């Protein structure tokens, strides 16, 4: 028998993980009505979304791997590695220091609102600059830091934070900024998922409905694949303004819900 709640959560994760609207806020609402899931469940469906990114960019990844001796590819790989290492080091520091905000409605709502306002301001600023496709070392550093900011502040959106970090620090082209942000996310999210899963099993976790989990993983992967392909097409001719407005509206709604004690 199909677990429809797992399917719905997989769909929500697949759509919201890669679009700059934050998966955390959406999953909070969904799990309130459908029932809370384990950390293992949420980690695995997140990995499903990142698998979709890997599939979408497989040609680019193969080109980088096969032609790594070419100077431009070697530099690009170096910048991906730098962004990942910054995230990994700062992530371990934050974990050791216990720096983590609660995934409750109010902080997530404020992160959505502030992030939406920041996205509109950042895009206006970046449009005044030349539309460069080049990814500089400064961009790599900024993207690495942005991933940690998104990890510490639930509701920020990893994709939104990294894309706009790239755009603000030099990569004015939306497509180039999105590609770099997504490619950095592949090793980052796989490493984070693996680390969290190891911790879950080490401390006695892993008691899961594996059929439901597998179903949600597959649904998340398929949905994320469609969402990424749509986003890459959309940003060729559109700004991110619609996502920013949506974030602000959702954040305001969550504040109302939290204030009235509905969740």
């Amino acid at each position: 028998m199909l677990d429809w709640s797992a399917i719905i959560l997989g769909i929500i994760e697949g759509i919201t993980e890669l679009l700059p609207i934050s998966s955390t806020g959406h999953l909070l609402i969904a799990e309130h009505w459908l029932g809370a899931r384990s950390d293992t469940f949420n980690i695995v469906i997140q990995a499903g979304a990142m698998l979709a990114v890997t599939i979408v960019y497989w040609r680019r990844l193969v080109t980088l791997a096969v032609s790594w001796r070419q100077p431009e590819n070697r530099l690009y790989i170096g910048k991906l590695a730098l962004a990942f290492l910054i995230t990994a080091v700062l992530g371990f520091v934050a974990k050791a220091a216990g720096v983590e905000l609660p995934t409750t409605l109010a902080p997530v709502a404020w992160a959505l609102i502030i992030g939406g306002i920041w996205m509109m301001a950042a895009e206006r600023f970046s449009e005044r600059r030349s539309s460069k496709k080049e990814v500089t070392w400064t961009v790599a550093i900024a993207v690495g830091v942005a991933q940690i900011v998104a990890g510490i502040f639930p509701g920020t959106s990893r994709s939104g934070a990294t894309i706009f970090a790239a755009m603000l620090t030099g990569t004015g082209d939306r497509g180039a900024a999105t590609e770099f942000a997504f490619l950095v996310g592949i090793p980052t999210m796989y490493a984070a998922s693996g680390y969290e899963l190891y911790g879950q099993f080490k401390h006695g976790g892993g008691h899961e409905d594996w059929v439901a989990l597998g179903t949600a993983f597959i649904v998340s992967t398929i949905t994320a694949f469609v969402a990424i392909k749509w986003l890459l097409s959309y940003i060729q001719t559109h700004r991110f303004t619609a996502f920013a407005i949506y974030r602000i509206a959702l954040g305001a709604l969550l504040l109302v819900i939290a204030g009235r004690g509905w969740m």
Side-chain angles (χ1 to χ4, degrees):
M1 184 175 180
L2 287 176
D3 186 335
W4 287 103
S5 66
I7 292 173
I8 293 170
L9 290 172
I11 292 172
I12 293 171
E13 170 63 26
I15 293 173
T16 59
E17 181 64 40
L18 285 313
L19 300 186
I21 54 177
S22 172
S23 60
T24 305
H26 293 81
L27 288 175
L28 267 177
I29 297 172
E31 290 188 355
H32 174 75
W33 299 108
L34 300 174
R37 295 284 178 160
S38 68
D39 289 339
T40 300
F41 181 93
N42 290 329
I43 292 165
V44 169
I45 64 172
Q46 189 178 62
M50 294 318 299
L51 175 59
V53 179
T54 309
I55 295 169
V56 169
Y57 284 105
W58 74 269
R59 287 188 179 87
R60 177 68 163 138
L61 293 169
V62 169
T63 299
L64 289 172
V66 172
S67 305
W68 65 270
R69 289 185 178 86
Q70 294 180 7
E72 64 272 19
N73 287 339
R74 193 160 58 245
L75 279 173
Y76 198 88
I77 293 170
K79 290 163 186 174
L80 288 172
L82 176 62
F84 171 73
L85 287 173
I86 289 172
T87 301
V89 171
L90 293 180
F92 277 116
V93 171
K95 193 82 171 177
V99 180
E100 187 177 2
L101 292 182
T103 53
T104 52
L105 280 187
V108 170
W110 282 114
L112 284 166
I113 293 170
I114 294 169
I117 295 170
W118 180 71
M119 282 171 61
M120 288 193 287
E123 188 152 44
R124 279 183 181 275
F125 178 78
S126 65
E127 284 181 344
R128 295 174 185 171
R129 308 167 69 181
S130 58
S131 181
K132 294 181 180 180
K133 291 188 177 182
E134 180 188 4
V135 175
T136 65
W137 292 102
T138 302
V139 168
I141 293 169
V143 168
V145 173
Q147 290 198 123
I148 286 299
V149 172
I152 292 174
F153 295 94
T156 302
S157 169
R158 194 206 65 82
S159 62
T162 52
I163 290 169
F164 279 92
M167 290 177 66
L168 280 173
T169 52
T171 307
D173 182 83
R174 293 188 193 92
T178 301
E179 179 183 84
F180 186 78
F182 281 179
L183 289 178
V184 172
I186 292 173
T188 302
M189 299 307 293
Y190 282 150
S193 297
Y195 179 79
E196 291 294 334
L197 279 175
Y198 171 76
Q200 291 293 317
F201 282 97
K202 183 179 179 181
H203 295 96
H207 304 293
E208 293 288 333
D209 180 344
W210 295 106
V211 173
L213 184 60
T215 301
F217 175 84
I218 294 169
V219 170
S220 174
T221 303
I222 294 171
T223 308
F225 179 86
V226 174
I228 298 165
K229 298 291 281 188
W230 174 82
L231 178 67
L232 294 177
S233 174
Y234 177 85
I235 61 176
Q236 297 300 316
T237 54
H238 295 80
R239 299 169 63 181
F240 285 97
T241 307
F243 298 112
I245 293 172
Y246 174 79
R247 287 177 61 104
I248 294 169
L250 178 61
L253 175 62
L254 290 179
L255 286 177
V256 171
I257 292 173
R260 293 181 178 271
W262 292 343
M263 283 181 61

